[in-house]
Amino acid sequence: MTEGTAPTLAAKIDKLFQIVRRPDGEQYTNEEVAAACREATGESFSATYLWQLRTGRRDNPTKRHMEALAEFFDVPVAYFFDDDQGKQIHAELELLGALRNAEVRNVALRAVNLSEDGLGTINDMIDAIAKREAKRRADD
């Protein structure tokens, strides 16, 4: 996905699966989410249908299905329909996903009390390391 481009419906749904996890930390399955959505709507909602939405093979779900998904994943239904709000929530989900990594969380917590200059130095170091690692990956 390029900068400034709104994610597709499939990407939005898949991102929810990647970030919002079961209490044990594992991803929800299509079957688990579809069953919860069937229960919430009283309508047909199969794991196959959900898989089709996640992979972009279907992209015109009913409003009730989207409401059920939004309720299950605890996001506003506008996440799916409003590009501006969708981008904002998508960015927040990216941050939440990053913070699930214990090492990232450890760095963030240690940086809380740093000055603006200190944070700037840390950001510069992270940028330099990221560039070096990207170059290394490109060379491999």
Side-chain angles (χ1 to χ4, degrees):
M1 178 173 8
T2 60
E3 185 73 26
T5 301
T8 64
L9 176 62
K12 289 177 181 181
I13 294 171
D14 198 54
K15 179 57 67 178
L16 292 173
F17 274 87
Q18 292 172 27
I19 302 299
V20 179
R21 302 289 182 120
R22 296 190 321 224
D24 66 3
E26 295 296 316
Q27 275 193 25
Y28 285 102
T29 65
N30 290 337
E31 291 79 13
E32 290 171 315
V33 176
C37 290
R38 267 194 312 276
E39 190 174 306
T41 64
E43 296 180 15
S44 172
F45 201 117
S46 70
T48 301
Y49 174 70
L50 183 52
W51 172 82
Q52 290 171 334
L53 290 174
R54 282 183 75 180
T55 58
R57 285 166 175 80
R58 303 241 347 228
D59 62 1
N60 193 18
T62 68
K63 183 176 182 264
R64 296 224 351 126
H65 287 151
M66 298 316 306
E67 289 169 343
L69 282 171
E71 182 178 332
F72 180 86
F73 287 111
D74 197 23
V75 296
V77 75
Y79 168 72
F80 300 111
F81 303 111
D82 180 309
D83 285 344
D84 291 334
Q85 189 169 9
K87 286 179 191 176
Q88 178 182 350
I89 294 168
H90 195 82
E92 291 170 3
L93 289 170
E94 291 282 351
L95 176 60
L96 178 60
L99 289 174
R100 285 184 188 244
N101 178 311
E103 292 300 319
V104 171
R105 191 172 51 252
N106 184 31
V107 170
L109 289 172
R110 292 173 64 201
V112 166
N113 294 319
L114 295 178
S115 67
E116 290 294 319
D117 286 343
L119 289 172
T121 300
I122 296 297
N123 281 328
D124 291 345
M125 291 172 63
I126 291 171
D127 289 345
I129 293 167
K131 286 178 188 173
R132 185 174 61 212
E133 289 184 354
K135 183 180 182 324
R136 188 178 307 139
R137 281 191 300 272
D139 291 343
D140 288 344

